[in-house]
Amino acid sequence: MQNERYPFKLPPLPYAHDALEPYIDAETMHYHHDKHFKAYIDNLNKALEPYPEAHGLTLAGLLSPGRLEQPGSPPEEARRGILDNAGGVYNHDLFFKCLSPRPDAPGDQLTALINSQYGSFEAFKKAFSELAASVFGSGWACLAIDGGGRLSAVKLANQDTVVPAGMSPVMLFDVWEHAYYLKYKNLRADYIDAIWNVASFPMLRART
Ligand code: MN
């Protein structure tokens, strides 16, 4: 939905809420998609509603460096709320697409990149899991690709995105407690281990 514009609408979950059991439970999916993701969408629409000058910007456009600072943009006191909620929408939209009961393996292009930069998929998986486990507080672990075709695994705080760095997300793990606490409680590492069973790699296929 990165090319969509105000008013933003909650995209349906592309599988049943219980489809990722036992790795991610149905109750967590109900809260995560139907409540948390929806709240970011509703709050983004609310934050943008008074500023018709920003209604023409796409979701990715709202997050692009400097776009909200141009003349005729929403005032500074409104920008933080717009950016935080736009980031929440952007990250969650991709997150739910990167989970599947029938996960896509990385395509040829991504496999080649992972092998050349990490040595093997197993080595990448270990490095990405450690990165996700080390996010302090609420945030994300994101595998992203830059304009030169180089992968980076980065930690994102809160609802930051890789857009300001000029990168495109390829896959990401939500490590906010709301993503795992109902089932895994304080055991974030167990959630990270489990999520690999339903982690899908639908991105980069059109570019091969
Ligand atoms: Mn979340």
Side-chain angles (χ1 to χ4, degrees), residues 22-43:
Y23 309 109
I24 303 180
D25 59 293
E27 188 183 17
T28 295
M29 291 304 286
H30 273 290
Y31 276 95
H32 202 178
H33 177 272
D34 305 357
K35 309 284 186 196
H36 290 282
F37 187 14
K38 183 172 186 297
Y40 288 112
I41 289 180
D42 291 347
N43 290 331

Side-chain angles (χ1 to χ4, degrees), residues 27-150:
E27 188 183 17
T28 295
M29 291 304 286
H30 273 290
Y31 276 95
H32 202 178
H33 177 272
D34 305 357
K35 309 284 186 196
H36 290 282
F37 187 14
K38 183 172 186 297
Y40 288 112
I41 289 180
D42 291 347
N43 290 331
L44 177 58
N45 286 333
K46 249 182 255 172
L48 285 170
E49 195 272 331
Y51 307 108
E53 61 272 25
H55 293 180
L57 291 175
T58 62
L59 181 61
L62 289 168
L63 293 164
S64 297
R67 292 296 288 275
L68 284 179
E69 281 92 52
Q70 288 167 5
S73 293
E76 192 180 350
E77 63 269 21
R79 285 180 210 147
R80 189 70 255 164
I82 293 171
L83 285 173
D84 285 344
N85 287 293
V89 173
Y90 187 92
N91 287 335
H92 281 97
D93 176 54
L94 182 63
F95 175 67
F96 290 114
K97 288 176 180 158
C98 288
L99 296 175
S100 174
R102 290 172 300 282
D104 290 324
D108 292 346
Q109 182 194 5
L110 183 55
T111 297
L113 287 170
I114 286 173
N115 288 343
S116 76
Q117 289 187 229
Y118 291 89
S120 67
F121 186 78
E122 281 308 307
F124 159 70
K125 191 173 157 180
K126 183 167 182 289
F128 195 79
S129 294
E130 287 169 2
L131 183 87
S134 73
V135 172
F136 184 78
S138 298
W140 300 78
C142 182
L143 178 67
I145 188 165
D146 67 20
R150 187 166 176 80

Side-chain angles (χ1 to χ4, degrees), residues 160-205:
D160 288 350
T161 73
V162 295
V163 178
M167 295 193 286
S168 300
V170 173
M171 194 274 289
L172 74 184
F173 283 6
D174 189 339
V175 292
W176 281 61
E177 284 188 345
H178 70 225
Y180 63 87
Y181 205 82
L182 288 175
K183 181 177 173 76
Y184 294 95
K185 304 299 186 251
N186 59 318
L187 303 177
R188 184 194 279 180
D190 288 1
Y191 157 71
I192 292 167
D193 283 347
I195 205 173
W196 286 108
N197 293 288
V198 287
S200 191
F201 293 84
M203 309 295 280
L204 294 181
R205 287 168 186 275

